[in-house]
Amino acid sequence: MKSAFVFPGQGSQSVGMLAELAAEYTIVNDTFQQASDALGYDLWQLVVEGPDEQLNQTDRTQPAMLTAGIAVWRVWQSVSDIKPDYFAGHSLGEYSALVAAGAMDFTDAVRLVEKRGRFMQQAVPAGEGAMAAILGLDDNVVRDICTEAAAVGVVEAVNFNSPGQVVIAGAAGAVKDAIQIASDKGAKRALLLPVSVPSHCALMKPAAEQLTAVLSDISIQTPQIPVIHNVSVTTADDAAQIKQLLAEQLYKPVRWVETVQWFASQGVTSVVECGPGKVLTGLNKRIDKALNAMPLFDLASLQKTQQALGEGQ
């Protein structure tokens, strides 16, 4: 029985996340302490107390979500000898996957994603960029809509999350036009997302250049467990190749549908979302109903995951 562990990205954070696991497993607090030491501020206090506005700042969200994913992964390692056959992460979650796979040092990754968040915020001033979810249209129709709306500025299809759910990103005016065109073409829903940074589109190229410079100082090893990358939907063993994929990920689409389909093609039957929330679990179920998709973020889900993966071992 093959399994994959996947890590969520921005949008799954919430004040109070992982409180139940932290009360039972000291490794959660220890992991957040390690991150706090690297960052120079109390990350766990921010997660426990908020406020939301601060936790939702891109340069705070990214280290918080990375640390939360690794904390859950370390809890799993403390209770189970079962290792997944593959890792992946949605956008930011790819960094958690690389840390879990032994390709990147945790404290290096924490500092790196804080900078990544800052570079992303600096690339497009607040209010000038936007993202929107388009539901109920074919992928190619959404691409055509973006081409039509690009007359007023950059707008691209950037997250292929599940069949009929595509996220677009770009200049605020172009995204607004794309929402109107999508509604006219019969989208079930076309709505702005509460984010200030238009991730994964061409407007992030300046951030990718800055990230490339910082990545040059980061040590990356060959992953001990294969990591499937968002940009290529393939594994990478070479440090230079992994760094290139991480930089490209800032301005290229997240190919999540293809990632989950790739898992299924390799014989994966269980996909565990390792970290706060259930966003990826919902997507994974819609992508392939035959997969046993489950979240892992509290005591009940930890027990369910142990039972599910313990069978057939």
Side-chain angles (χ1 to χ4, degrees):
M1 184 176 78
K2 285 188 177 180
S3 65
F5 273 51
V6 297
F7 295 87
Q10 271 182 266
S12 291
Q13 73 276 6
S14 62
V15 172
M17 62 184 179
L18 303 191
E20 191 179 283
L21 274 187
E24 190 74 21
Y25 296 97
T26 56
I27 192 82
V28 174
N29 288 294
D30 293 345
T31 302
F32 272 89
Q33 186 60 54
Q34 202 181 343
S36 299
D37 292 344
L39 294 166
Y41 66 87
D42 192 336
L43 186 61
W44 183 241
Q45 184 181 9
L46 175 61
V47 166
V48 172
E49 299 176 9
D52 276 326
E53 305 80 64
Q54 207 173 339
L55 181 61
N56 292 339
Q57 277 178 228
T58 300
D59 61 336
R60 297 291 171 109
T61 308
Q62 297 204 20
M65 282 301 298
L66 171 84
T67 305
I70 294 305
V72 174
W73 168 244
R74 288 176 174 177
V75 168
W76 175 257
Q77 286 182 300
S78 74
V79 301
S80 176
D81 294 328
I82 297 168
K83 288 184 170 64
D85 296 276
Y86 304 102
F87 283 119
H90 190 285
S91 187
L92 168 73
E94 192 164 291
Y95 289 81
S96 309
L98 287 165
V99 172
M104 195 184 291
D105 175 73
F106 172 57
T107 52
D108 281 350
V110 168
R111 292 192 195 100
L112 180 63
V113 300
E114 183 194 34
K115 288 174 183 160
R116 179 181 184 266
R118 208 177 313 135
F119 297 154
M120 290 168 75
Q121 283 181 323
Q122 290 165 354
V124 181
E128 292 188 15
M131 297 182 80
I134 311 295
L135 308 184
L137 292 179
D138 182 77
D139 291 356
N140 286 327
V141 173
V142 177
R143 287 189 184 99
D144 292 344
I145 287 166
C146 289
T147 302
E148 196 177 330
V152 296
V154 170
V155 59
E156 299 166 13
V158 297
N159 289 2
F160 295 91
N161 285 334
S162 70
Q165 184 185 328
V166 179
V167 173
I168 63 172
V175 171
K176 189 178 172 187
D177 282 8
I179 288 174
Q180 186 58 55
I181 297 166
S183 298
D184 293 344
K185 287 187 184 287
K188 285 182 188 168
R189 291 178 79 190
L191 65 160
L192 275 173
L193 298 175
V195 295
S196 59
V197 175
S199 304
H200 305 295
C201 75
L203 297 177
M204 286 293 117
K205 283 190 176 177
E209 287 171 18
Q210 290 176 289
L211 186 69
T212 298
V214 176
L215 276 165
S216 65
D217 296 329
I218 299 285
S219 174
I220 291 185
Q221 319 299 322
T222 301
Q224 293 159 13
I225 292 171
V227 175
I228 311 306
H229 293 271
N230 289 178
V231 167
S232 59
V233 197
T234 56
T235 59
D237 297 328
D238 174 66
Q241 189 186 3
I242 291 170
K243 290 177 182 183
Q244 174 83 21
L245 288 167
L246 289 176
E248 287 183 13
Q249 193 219 51
L250 275 181
Y251 60 88
K252 288 190 175 179
V254 174
R255 297 162 62 185
W256 194 252
V257 173
E258 291 172 85
T259 300
V260 175
Q261 289 171 340
W262 188 91
F263 286 148
S265 75
Q266 301 303 304
V268 168
T269 52
S270 297
V271 180
V272 179
E273 179 178 7
C274 191
K278 304 176 184 178
V279 172
L280 296 184
T281 300
L283 298 178
N284 299 343
K285 285 176 178 173
R286 286 199 286 278
I287 294 166
D288 189 336
K289 291 177 174 58
L291 282 175
N292 184 13
M294 62 197 106
L296 172 53
F297 64 92
D298 62 8
L299 296 177
S301 58
L302 178 63
Q303 190 175 14
K304 278 184 187 170
T305 305
Q306 281 182 281
Q307 290 168 347
L309 297 192
E311 289 167 6
Q313 289 293 316

